[in-house]
Amino acid sequence: MAKLADEVRDKMTTELAKFPGVATTNDRYLALAYSVRDRLLRRWVDSASAILAQRHRTVIYLSAEYLIGPQLGANLMALGIEDEARAAAKQLGTTLEVLVDHEEEPGLGNGGLGRLAACYMDSLATLDIAAVGHGLRYEFGIFDQDIRDGWQVERTDRWLRAGNPWEIRRYEIMHEVGFGGHTEHTVTGVRWIPERVVEGVPYDTPVAGYGTRTTNFLRLWSAVASEEFDLDAFQVGEYWRAVDAKIRSENLTKVLYPNDSSPAGKQLRLEQQYFFVSCALQDCIRLLLHGGANIRDLAEVLAIQLNDTHPTLAIPELMRLLMDLHGLSWDDAWTITRKAFAYTNHTLLPEALETWPLPLVARLLPRHLEIIYEINRRFLDEVRAKFPGDNARLARMSLIGESGDKQVRMANLATVASHHINGVAALHSRLLRETVLRDFAELWPERFTNVTNGVTPRRFVALANPRLGELITSAIGEGWQRDLEKLRGLENFATDAGFCEKWRAVKQANKAALAERFDFDPSALLDAQCKRIHEYKRQHLNLLHVIALWQRIRNGEDLGVPRTFVFAGKAAPAYWMAKLIIRLAAGVGEAIAGDPKARHQLRVLFVPDFSVKVAQRVYPAADLSEQISTAGLEASGTGNMKFTLNGALTIGTLDGANVEIREAVGADHFFLFGLTAEQVSAAKANYHPGRDLDAELGNALHLISDGAFSRGDRDMFAPLVNDLRERDPFLVCADFRAYSDCQRRVAELWQAPEKWVASSIINVARAGRFSSDRSISEYAKQIWNVAPLRVG
Ligand code: NBG
């Protein structure tokens, strides 16, 4: 193969039509990216032909979100050509760092759910499992976040503006997706005559495995109008009306709904969901038949995973395709469907369980509603037979909710049609069985399982934290990137003074690098809470503690431990309370910075526009990871794993995967506080947060109300303070004292640096099971029944 540097120089001419004198940084980035892509494509073609030749059972991952992060660095690492790329960059008169930094990431997800999908694509390829990830190619991803006067301001994310070298548009593939209209039932079957038709076209992005040739791909669907113009309208001179239909179709994949863990409930969102699953399934069937298989083999050839309920319409869509287009009977179609699908639930928050108004589904997808009704009729018969006379149970389990206006309940639909249903951490899977899906778990206990989330060590350790990666390799050798349990070998080094010193120096260097961007004291304890802003995640609990520390300083106490509190995360644009919490962080930061007595001991930093790229800078620098959600509400969390794997200690509640992290690293190496999920439910029965407030907490609330963090404005934070005093649905007040005391234990350990460093090493050494490779191996064995592919 030609030298990368030569290829890059060629690309400058053949792809970009530029020469060195006029080339911009973007050109240099694109030239390198195109050259890297060429190498990926060769591997991809080999993988694809191996899949076809071996008729390999393939995973079809359906997800409305993929937060894949910047691609250049990750791809260079997967291909093992970083040194070559460095030389190529040099030849272009720049550095690899500049080019990697230049890349704009595709923000096609909101948070953990979308990032999990991206980690899983990485692990699938690395474990040589044939897989295609289907999703939506949003023209605008998650909004960019600015902070102005302490408030979040949203800007559109024009991520495609400078070109996207990683994707390939497949011009030969197109699927039609209908909406609206009516159905016709005849003796030969059912026909759906949609009112309008949109075309779906795919853009593919290669996903390279690490240390293997297997390369899978993400296929993201984009909507285009099926008729360029409405010809009738065009002929009578109504140009605008003619173009209108086109614009309407293409709006379908314009923008990602910026809601995290709560549905938007908008028609366009439902259209997006149906659009991409219809494209995905039509495409799967096309490939299946092309490969010479019979449509009846679909569930043998494909294992389809629903990433939360967003792709659930795939169930009635597959039934429709099998019956109405391929002539199968209901029973045959249902048998195949039941064997094909599995469903992962990602939240227990009641407001987050997706339901769609029945009239909307009837209007938009009349055929699908008929199918849903029929699934429901047969399903309820089964329940009735097992639990005769239990009408309350029947009402709870029905796919159609009757409370107020009727709705279609997506979680129930996904559960009824899936051979496996899993939660994303042990506690969450248990609560899922005991609460939200209890009736279903009683009916089909064997279908319920757990797969605890994981994260890719390639991106989140090796790539994000090269200093740590090198130190780990120097101690235990290569191989941990593909087999993270190998980190165990680090445990012996926790008592090696020389190694501990190197470990400390790595953290220090990472903090110094972050401090260069954000100007803080790198010797202070870096205490970080980075995740979507949400009341249940309790960024305000953290802030109340910061205010309490500030008060202690004002009262003459010496904290002994200088701290920098880093906050980062986006709030859903319509989530007022979350935006107010961001404003509070800014206000607290400002007040402390203005206090000469406090500013050397405390600093509050809000890092704007949290993204994969920003995250890769923050995780390596953190000393303390804040995982302080109200117990029972965070399904898993994955940031908790990323911080741990970068050597941060955790302060956290017994929630989500924190429970398992604590088990893995050992109770002595985890700062635990707060009510358990059971205690939370019990406490809620008779909770009066405003009564007997803790003195420090009362004082902090008073300062907030008094305008100390809003430049004297006493109204700004009233909604937040009143809510905490009167309702406090997330038990911030109940957990405040325990949290604050636990933070004292953090400070004590920090003052014994050798112990802190040893604990940090032990955390990393014992966190190998939080690799997404472990999660994907579990899905492969327990749920998908797939084996690795042989490529080459
Ligand atoms: C989120 C949970 C997180 C979890 C991720 C990935 C949704 C609906 N759920 O706790 O809130 O880590 O999913 O499983 O976004």
Side-chain angles (χ1 to χ4, degrees):
M1 213 181 292
K3 275 183 49 197
L4 189 66
D6 298 337
E7 288 172 34
V8 174
R9 209 189 36 231
D10 277 356
K11 291 289 179 202
M12 194 62 97
T13 315
T14 56
E15 282 284 344
L16 301 164
K18 285 284 184 82
F19 52 91
V22 295
T24 61
T25 301
N26 193 50
D27 294 326
R28 288 186 274 271
Y29 157 73
L30 288 174
L32 177 58
Y34 280 122
S35 317
V36 175
R37 191 184 76 176
D38 282 354
R39 299 189 176 204
L40 293 172
L41 298 189
R42 290 198 185 93
R43 294 183 171 216
W44 175 7
V45 167
D46 291 347
S47 301
S49 55
I51 294 172
L52 282 181
Q54 296 169 29
R55 294 261 177 103
H56 212 90
R57 185 167 164 83
T58 301
V59 174
I60 302 296
Y61 201 77
L62 298 184
S63 178
E65 302 187 4
Y66 291 92
L67 201 50
I68 61 178
Q71 295 293 289
L72 179 58
N75 284 332
L76 291 172
M77 174 170 281
L79 294 167
I81 54 171
E82 290 130 308
D83 290 341
E84 273 189 79
R86 203 158 277 129
K90 195 166 171 206
Q91 198 167 349
L92 292 173
T94 182
T95 65
L96 184 56
E97 285 65 38
V98 166
L99 300 184
V100 165
D101 214 42
H102 175 79
E103 181 172 348
E104 173 124 27
E105 75 178 74
L108 309 186
N110 274 284
L113 175 131
R115 183 54 234 177
L116 185 78
C119 284
Y120 282 1
M121 289 305 294
D122 172 314
S123 287
L124 282 160
T126 299
L127 294 174
D128 300 313
I129 296 171
V132 184
H134 286 272
L136 284 150
R137 182 178 179 272
Y138 304 105
E139 192 179 324
F140 302 113
I142 186 69
F143 61 85
D144 293 337
Q145 179 195 53
D146 277 347
I147 304 294
R148 281 190 220 145
D149 293 331
W151 295 102
Q152 167 175 299
V153 176
E154 300 94 23
R155 278 184 297 112
T156 46
D157 160 53
R158 293 166 39 201
W159 71 285
L160 288 164
R161 161 179 53 180
N164 174 11
W166 305 106
E167 66 184 10
I168 309 244
R169 158 110 192 237
R170 299 284 187 189
Y171 284 92
E172 75 285 11
I173 304 173
M174 183 280 286
H175 298 292
E176 293 192 337
V177 180
F179 292 99
H182 64 278
T183 60
E184 287 174 6
H185 292 249
T186 66
V187 278
T188 54
V190 184
R191 231 159 64 92
W192 171 28
I193 295 108
E195 181 201 323
R196 72 192 153 95
V197 172
V198 175
E199 290 180 358
V201 297
Y203 288 75
D204 292 350
T205 301
V207 182
Y210 177 91
T212 167
R213 285 190 62 80
T214 302
T215 299
N216 288 322
F217 62 97
L218 260 184
R219 178 158 282 182
L220 302 182
W221 295 92
S222 181
V224 296
S226 66
E227 296 282 340
E228 274 301 292
F229 293 103
D230 174 341
L231 276 184
D232 288 344
F234 196 56
Q235 273 154 13
V236 294
E238 291 186 57
Y239 182 75
W240 291 114
R241 186 158 77 82
V243 180
D244 198 52
K246 178 173 161 62
I247 293 176
R248 184 162 168 215
S249 301
E250 293 179 357
N251 272 345
L252 209 109
T253 48
K254 253 310 161 231
V255 60
L256 165 78
Y257 276 94
N259 295 49
D260 181 65
S261 303
S262 60
K266 295 280 186 341
Q267 172 168 336
L268 188 61
R269 170 82 171 166
L270 184 63
E271 291 181 12
Q272 289 183 338
Q273 295 184 349
Y274 175 60
F275 169 75
F276 98 88
V277 299
S278 176
C279 289
L281 290 177
Q282 292 186 59
D283 203 49
C284 286
I285 292 176
R286 177 185 66 85
L287 277 166
L288 182 89
L289 300 179
H290 174 85
N294 188 294
I295 187 92
R296 291 175 186 274
D297 300 334
L298 186 137
E300 272 69 59
V301 183
L302 304 176
I304 309 178
Q305 189 66 32
L306 303 173
N307 195 30
D308 215 16
T309 52
H310 317 141
T312 299
L313 284 166
I315 291 162
E317 175 68 352
L318 182 60
M319 289 296 288
R320 181 185 78 85
L321 293 170
L322 293 177
M323 295 189 300
D324 300 357
L325 271 77
H326 294 274
L328 269 63
S329 68
W330 178 280
D331 288 336
D332 289 351
W334 183 243
T335 306
I336 294 171
T337 300
R338 284 277 342 276
K339 271 201 228 158
F341 285 102
Y343 156 53
T344 306
N345 172 288
H346 291 268
T347 180
L348 302 172
L349 295 185
E351 73 273 20
L353 289 176
E354 266 192 310
T355 59
W356 290 104
L358 202 83
L360 175 63
V361 180
R363 185 156 45 76
L364 217 57
L365 300 166
R367 177 63 181 136
H368 297 79
L369 189 59
E370 289 174 2
I371 294 172
I372 292 170
Y373 272 136
E374 183 60 15
I375 297 175
N376 199 33
R377 190 185 66 74
R378 290 167 182 247
F379 163 62
L380 292 180
D381 279 349
E382 194 183 330
V383 179
R384 222 174 265 120
K386 185 119 192 245
F387 302 98
D390 193 345
N391 288 336
R393 181 183 297 263
L394 234 51
R396 289 194 303 267
M397 297 182 84
S398 174
L399 307 188
I400 309 296
E402 307 271 349
S403 59
D405 296 331
K406 291 190 179 183
Q407 327 88 35
V408 180
R409 295 165 165 167
M410 303 311 264
N412 292 19
L413 176 57
T415 303
V416 167
S418 292
H419 54 85
H420 281 87
I421 300 108
N422 75 286
V424 289
L427 172 67
H428 168 237
S429 294
R430 174 167 73 77
L431 295 174
L432 191 64
R433 285 193 306 268
E434 291 174 357
T435 62
V436 174
L437 296 181
R438 178 183 183 149
D439 295 310
F440 296 89
E442 279 173 16
L443 186 62
W444 303 308
E446 70 289 352
R447 292 193 197 173
F448 284 76
T449 184
N450 171 60
V451 181
T452 298
N453 284 345
V455 303
T456 167
R458 272 76 65 184
R459 181 177 288 274
F460 289 108
V461 184
L463 187 64
N465 198 343
R467 293 185 188 91
L468 188 68
E470 277 160 34
L471 181 59
I472 292 173
T473 304
S474 75
I476 62 171
E478 294 281 351
W480 55 272
Q481 298 93 330
R482 277 178 63 91
D483 177 6
L484 206 60
E485 289 289 357
K486 287 213 160 103
L487 292 179
R488 283 261 165 217
L490 288 172
E491 209 162 322
N492 301 331
F493 291 87
T495 49
D496 174 334
F499 186 81
C500 288
E501 177 45 35
K502 287 184 192 154
W503 191 271
R504 199 199 55 78
V506 163
K507 185 61 84 182
Q508 204 49 45
N510 291 340
K511 281 159 74 167
L514 191 70
E516 257 174 45
R517 284 176 193 268
F518 295 105
D519 180 34
F520 59 87
D521 170 9
S523 68
L525 189 165
L526 200 148
D527 181 331
Q529 189 170 18
C530 305
K531 48 180 80 233
R532 286 297 287 243
I533 312 293
H534 214 296
E535 288 162 278
Y536 85 81
K537 296 178 187 280
R538 300 199 294 191
Q539 281 91 355
H540 45 345
L541 173 59
N542 187 343
L543 285 166
L544 287 165
H545 170 247
V546 177
I547 297 171
L549 289 182
W550 182 39
Q551 288 315 295
R552 288 182 205 163
I553 296 174
R554 294 222 295 191
N555 294 335
E557 199 178 310
D558 178 359
L559 298 185
V561 174
R563 287 206 210 201
T564 301
F565 289 88
V566 172
F567 290 86
K570 293 176 184 177
Y575 188 174
W576 174 242
M577 201 63 112
K579 290 182 140 175
L580 205 54
I581 292 174
I582 294 180
R583 179 62 187 81
L584 181 62
V588 172
E590 185 182 73
I592 293 174
D595 178 353
K597 255 174 98 179
R599 65 172 165 241
H600 301 294
Q601 294 191 62
L602 279 187
R603 175 137 158 71
V604 176
L605 189 67
F606 193 96
V607 173
D609 206 33
F610 194 57
S611 59
V612 178
K613 200 175 190 174
V614 173
Q616 286 177 206
R617 294 192 185 111
V618 176
Y619 297 132
D623 294 306
L624 187 67
S625 155
E626 298 269 353
Q627 306 301 335
I628 60 178
S629 51
T630 316
L633 296 183
E634 188 70 272
S636 164
T638 44
N640 46 5
M641 302 169 185
K642 296 166 196 163
F643 277 112
T644 300
L645 284 167
N646 280 282
L649 307 195
T650 305
I651 179 164
T653 48
L654 282 179
D655 199 15
N658 295 352
V659 177
E660 288 153 84
I661 293 178
R662 178 167 171 270
E663 268 165 26
V665 304
D668 293 346
H669 302 284
F670 186 107
F671 296 104
L672 178 71
F673 76 95
L675 301 177
T676 63
E678 278 68 26
Q679 290 167 337
V680 165
S681 331
K684 275 192 169 168
N686 186 19
Y687 184 47
H688 305 284
R691 273 189 216 161
D692 314 318
L693 268 190
D694 175 272
E696 263 190 332
L697 173 61
N699 194 239
L701 289 175
H702 174 74
L703 278 172
I704 299 174
S705 310
D706 208 38
F709 311 110
S710 43
R711 304 183 181 172
D713 180 342
R714 295 205 166 110
D715 297 326
M716 186 186 289
F717 294 118
L720 182 67
V721 174
N722 294 342
D723 192 63
L724 284 176
R725 285 184 187 279
E726 285 154 26
R727 292 189 330 127
D728 189 18
F730 300 101
L731 286 92
V732 170
C733 298
D735 270 344
F736 176 81
R737 180 45 43 205
Y739 176 60
S740 194
D741 290 346
C742 190
Q743 285 283 19
R744 282 196 193 267
R745 304 207 299 276
V746 171
E748 277 163 30
L749 190 72
W750 184 256
Q751 285 168 305
E754 331 68 53
K755 285 195 191 154
W756 183 284
V757 171
S759 216
S760 163
I761 296 172
I762 288 172
N763 260 266
V764 175
R766 298 179 181 173
R769 61 176 312 250
F770 300 105
S771 165
S772 45
D773 298 345
R774 189 265 314 140
S775 314
I776 286 298
S777 307
E778 290 179 10
Y779 278 100
K781 283 195 208 85
Q782 292 177 37
I783 299 181
W784 301 327
N785 186 27
V786 294
L789 182 75
R790 291 178 309 279
V791 185

